[in-house]
Amino acid sequence: MSLLPAVVALGDDALVLGQRLSEWCGKAPLLEEEMAMANTALDFLGRARLYYGYANTLGGRDEDGYTFHRDAREYTNLLLFELPGADFAAATARQFLVDAFDELHSAELANSADATLADIGAKVHKEATYHRCHSAAWMVRLGDGTDESRRRMQQALEDVWGYRQELFVNAPAEQPLVEQGILPDRAELRAAWQEAVATTLAEATLTVPAASWAVKGGRQGIHTEHLGVMLAELQHLSRSHPGAKW
Amino acid sequence: MAAASDEFQARIDREERIEPQDWMPEGYRRTLVRQISQHAHSEVIGMQPEGGWISRAPSLERKVILLAKVQDEGGHGLYLYGAAETLGVSRDELIDAMHTGKAKYSSIFNYPALTWADVGAIGWLVDSAAIVNQVPLQRCSYGPYARAMMRICKEESFHQRQGYDIMLALARGSAAQREMAQDALNRWWWPTLMMFGPSDADSIHSSQSFAWKIKRYGNDELRQKFIDQAVPQAEVLGLKIPDDDLQWDAATGHYRIGAIDWDEFQQVVSGNGPCSRQRLAHHRQVQEDGAWVREAVAVHAAKHRAGSDGPKAAARNSDTAQEGRADAAV
Amino acid sequence: MPLFEVFVRSRRGLDHQHVGSLRADDAEMALQYAREIYTRRREGISIWVVRSADITASQEEDAPAFFEPAADKPYRDATYYELPKEVKNL
């Protein structure tokens, strides 16, 4: 099984969340947090470039080919990463779930049998450790803040909770790579993730939502409707001038 | 008081900096609050026209560069609010003053960024003009402002280059891209020249600011410096400056320009620019949307201050913090 | 939201230096924001944050009493002492 689609998928996760985070530029609740969100966005976009760059050396397209010249059905990011997160509670809840996962996933990826992925994993691990620290602090602040902030955070968690399941599924194409020690086994990360999330939520006086629903489809290109709209904005300029250099 | 006032001016004349705890005339404080806060607001409002293009940047590399650049503007706003706060006003008060129209921001940000080339033109022209303005401010008599300007100037140099780099790519690109670049230059040239403000003869704030060394060069002088730099840069791009009267004056060694439309400037400054209402409405909306977050943060912090001895010292693992020498002690 | 002062050690062997201020509600938040705002270009390897209100600063009106008494003690400076030209390493 080829490594290429698995690398592109990791790039897609990073790209769409980097785009979502960059949408907060000029909109954060305080100027200091504005700076923090932009730094996080730059880390995610940087990650996307590393994965796409690696994909390119494996015979894939270049980074702009992946970013600007695929339709939503060809994107293979997990749904959690593409959700709008348009208010600060939703953005924070999603970010915390992602960061808690990335911290665990990147630690394993740093041990990959593939040297390039191991390097990327080590780099991502440093970023993700800081991001998780930052987003967990926000969960606690908002969960254990005012009645309104607790209500908003609990609602945001409920709304995003069903999207967590995909994080722990190895796509069929990824399974052989897991067995070769190239990709982390996502299923094995679940327990540690649940514990880390539960610890922070307890501190935040928030309730772990009931695990009754799950949405999936990202790795198969079956997305939410939000992705197409995001891509329309992201891609229109590049696509309006075929072949142009910028 | 006469003695204090004489000593204050003598200190300025000796090129010493004024620091927050020093005695200063009320007019000096007011002038600085007005100027620094206007500068801070300009940085923050200035995030909007370019920020709107981050999601649409035409390549991944341009996207990260633009995001880093717009983020820097936010940082510059922070440095400047911090400098203003050493004068005894709070950031909230300053922002309220902008929302009610009492405090201004640079007129340039009331024009729309319509195409990707505008992002290039803003970086190239607007940031170049800002740098021409800001370099002398590094020697402003007020210490915290001068220090903030040093930090800003150091970071700002990449901003104009990335803008020019965008223009270069467009100028070397397809016919449609070249047209986009020329169109952006056409629309941003005159508003950029207006950024320097009216002629010194007509400027209401100038003479006292010179005596206090808040200002060191006249508006016309700085404008001319910018023009002399920008015209040859436009030539390298193969773009035409939209001024039929523009000509090189060998006798003075400067470019001469046509007449600036000061009526337009007055309209924009008094809040009637093409995007004036949009910019303020956006800023107000963001403040409103974030109110519940700021409130929660304050309540959370209060709960936890009550529950413990207060936050842990950040310096717990290093040598003891030495004597405080911060600017903002009030 | 309280104001914090930020001090950054730019590299090993140097003192922390005051670089600016920011607003945050507690020290942890202030430390994170100091990192986001003042070390974007690898400016630091260590950060202190201090509540501005916790800093006690000397005042302008105290300056004569505080600092001028040091002005008449030039014998504390090495340059006060004139040595014969032939004396080295002193």
Side-chain angles (χ1 to χ4, degrees), chain B residues 11 21-22 71-72 78-79 82 85 91 151 155 158 297-298 301 305 311 315 318-319 321 325-326 328, chain C residues 1 3 5 9 15 18-19 21 23 25 27 29 31 37-38 40-41 43 48-49 51-52 55 57-58 60:
Chain B
R11 187 171 265 165
Q21 295 96 333
D22 294 345
Q71 180 201 36
D72 272 354
L78 267 169
Y79 306 156
E85 286 189 286
R91 197 195 300 177
R151 184 171 287 277
E155 296 184 352
F158 114 77
V297 170
R305 262 199 298 279
S318 51
D319 38 332
R325 46 172 288 277
Chain C
M1 231 180 262
L3 200 61
E5 299 302 318
R9 186 199 295 286
D15 284 327
H18 183 242
V19 295
S21 59
R23 289 202 174 268
D25 265 291
M29 188 177 182
L31 197 55
I37 295 160
Y38 290 103
R40 302 200 301 290
R41 290 177 167 80
E43 292 97 333
W48 293 344
V49 290
R51 270 174 202 275
S52 309
I55 290 176
S58 66
E60 168 72 359

Side-chain angles (χ1 to χ4, degrees), chain B residues 135-279:
Chain B
V135 164
L137 287 173
Q138 296 178 101
R139 294 190 295 125
C140 166
S141 61
Y142 189 58
Y145 191 27
R147 289 192 288 279
M149 288 323 303
M150 285 181 215
R151 184 171 287 277
I152 289 171
C153 284
K154 205 161 69 182
E155 296 184 352
E156 193 96 31
S157 60
F158 114 77
H159 295 181
Q160 56 173 346
R161 288 204 182 182
Q162 67 87 36
Y164 195 74
D165 196 59
I166 288 173
M167 296 304 278
L168 262 181
L170 295 173
R172 291 171 179 164
S174 66
Q177 286 175 305
R178 276 195 301 280
E179 199 178 310
M180 201 190 275
Q182 182 64 55
D183 170 58
L185 174 57
N186 292 348
R187 285 180 290 109
W188 288 94
W189 175 255
W190 290 105
T192 303
L193 298 187
M194 294 174 196
M195 277 174 74
F196 294 92
S199 273
D200 300 306
D202 307 324
S203 177
I204 46 175
H205 300 301
S206 278
S207 60
Q208 184 60 68
S209 287
F210 279 112
W212 282 333
K213 296 194 179 168
I214 293 172
K215 203 173 170 155
R216 288 177 183 268
Y217 297 97
N219 293 349
D220 291 322
E221 204 177 349
L222 292 169
R223 183 170 19 247
Q224 188 63 52
K225 191 169 159 59
F226 165 78
I227 292 165
D228 291 343
Q229 288 175 5
V231 171
Q233 290 165 355
E235 280 166 15
V236 174
L237 294 171
L239 298 178
K240 185 185 176 302
I241 302 276
D243 178 357
D244 290 336
D245 297 326
L246 181 78
Q247 52 177 306
W248 174 248
D249 182 344
T252 60
H254 294 294
Y255 287 93
R256 272 193 296 177
I257 59 164
I260 293 174
D261 181 355
W262 291 113
D263 289 341
E264 175 180 325
F265 177 74
Q266 284 309 334
Q267 276 300 307
V268 177
V269 164
S270 50
N272 298 320
C275 300
S276 304
R277 283 164 178 78
Q278 175 192 337
R279 300 286 185 242

Side-chain angles (χ1 to χ4, degrees), chain A:
Chain A
M1 174 59 216
S2 153
L3 186 54
L4 183 60
V7 172
V8 172
L10 290 169
D12 290 352
D13 286 345
L15 178 79
V16 297
L17 185 47
Q19 176 82 358
R20 284 304 187 206
L21 282 162
S22 71
E23 289 168 2
W24 276 90
C25 191
K27 299 188 187 123
L30 45 153
L31 196 48
E32 282 82 353
E33 185 60 18
E34 184 92 53
M35 306 295 291
M37 293 181 99
N39 277 336
T40 308
L42 288 170
D43 285 343
F44 273 83
L45 293 170
R47 242 177 249 183
R49 300 183 73 194
L50 286 176
Y51 285 121
Y52 291 155
Y54 185 34
N56 188 238
T57 68
L58 295 171
R61 313 177 191 193
D62 64 16
E63 60 179 33
D64 288 336
Y66 283 118
T67 304
F68 295 96
H69 298 283
R70 286 180 303 157
D71 293 333
R73 290 281 284 112
E74 298 166 275
Y75 266 78
T76 54
N77 60 281
L78 302 180
L79 306 179
L80 179 62
F81 293 78
E82 76 195 36
L83 297 176
D87 78 78
F88 193 69
T92 302
R94 180 257 304 282
Q95 195 63 39
F96 171 62
L97 300 190
V98 167
D99 293 339
F101 177 82
D102 278 347
E103 188 179 16
L104 297 165
H105 182 266
S106 57
E108 292 301 316
L109 190 64
N111 298 321
S112 171
D114 181 281
T116 306
L117 284 181
D119 284 350
I120 297 176
K123 180 177 187 299
V124 170
H125 188 63
K126 287 180 203 153
E127 297 170 357
T129 303
Y130 179 82
H131 295 161
R132 198 263 311 145
C133 189
H134 188 79
S135 56
W138 269 114
M139 294 301 290
V140 172
R141 237 175 252 131
L142 297 178
D144 186 20
T146 59
D147 290 344
E148 184 188 7
S149 71
R150 179 187 288 117
R151 180 182 59 70
R152 283 175 182 260
M153 278 317 302
Q154 189 65 47
Q155 189 58 52
L157 264 180
E158 303 286 345
D159 291 343
V160 80
W161 195 244
Y163 294 93
R164 80 198 181 289
Q165 295 286 19
E166 270 197 321
L167 293 170
F168 307 107
V169 177
N170 301 312
E174 291 165 1
Q175 195 59 44
L177 297 163
V178 170
E179 282 154 24
Q180 294 163 45
I182 291 173
L183 291 180
D185 186 346
R186 289 171 172 266
E188 282 187 1
L189 302 176
R190 182 194 293 267
W193 182 86
Q194 273 172 337
E195 196 186 324
V197 168
T199 303
T200 297
L201 294 192
E203 197 189 336
T205 69
L206 293 166
T207 311
V208 177
S212 59
W213 63 289
V215 185
K216 57 186 196 308
R219 288 284 189 260
Q220 286 71 47
I222 310 294
H223 290 278
T224 67
E225 291 177 351
H226 304 296
L227 183 66
V229 180
M230 179 210 276
L231 294 182
E233 185 172 340
L234 183 133
Q235 297 177 336
H236 95 271
L237 178 57
S238 173
R239 293 215 190 183
S240 303
H241 298 263
K245 299 256 187 300
W246 302 94

